[in-house]
Amino acid sequence: MSAPQAGYQDYRGIRSRWGDLVMKLKNMIITGSLAAFALVFNMFEGSLPMPLPGIKLGAANVFSLLALVLLGVKEAFAVTLIRVFLAWVMTGNFLLSFAAWPEA
């Protein structure tokens, strides 16, 4: 078999690049979905009555653990950060934290 000509791309190289893009897209979709489910559970859990002040069930963390098992450490960390940040913004706690800053 002869060597490929200049400028010729191997079909397997193109296919593997498309496969990599598809896997990255799949991981992003799964990460976003898990973060959305975790946010919904976090908001629902916040509306439940707490037995003691400051104690929550932590059911939203199940989605972070699921991301850890299915996708890996980086994606699980991303799910947790996205959930915490969006819950922080949606509950309005960010207004209280900025209001507590001392004026210089």
Side-chain angles (χ1 to χ4, degrees):
M1 201 142 184
S2 64
Q5 297 174 356
Y8 174 77
Q9 292 184 353
D10 187 17
Y11 175 72
R12 289 173 289 183
I14 293 172
R15 186 174 180 188
S16 68
R17 277 185 255 145
W18 279 110
D20 290 344
L21 288 175
V22 168
M23 287 303 295
K24 286 180 184 179
L25 181 63
K26 182 181 172 183
N27 284 349
M28 279 199 303
I29 290 171
I30 293 172
T31 302
S33 299
L34 288 173
F37 288 135
L39 180 63
V40 168
F41 266 67
N42 192 7
M43 299 302 274
F44 173 71
E45 187 179 29
S47 67
L48 295 175
M50 292 183 267
L52 295 173
I55 295 178
K56 289 173 64 174
L57 183 61
N61 294 328
V62 169
F63 295 102
S64 298
L65 293 174
L66 188 62
L68 181 64
V69 171
L70 293 178
L71 302 172
V73 175
K74 189 169 84 170
E75 286 82 3
F77 190 65
V79 167
T80 303
L81 284 181
I82 291 168
R83 175 184 58 89
V84 168
F85 177 74
L86 289 177
W88 180 62
V89 170
M90 291 178 74
T91 57
N93 288 337
F94 69 96
L95 296 174
L96 297 174
S97 62
F98 287 136
W101 280 0
E103 300 210 15

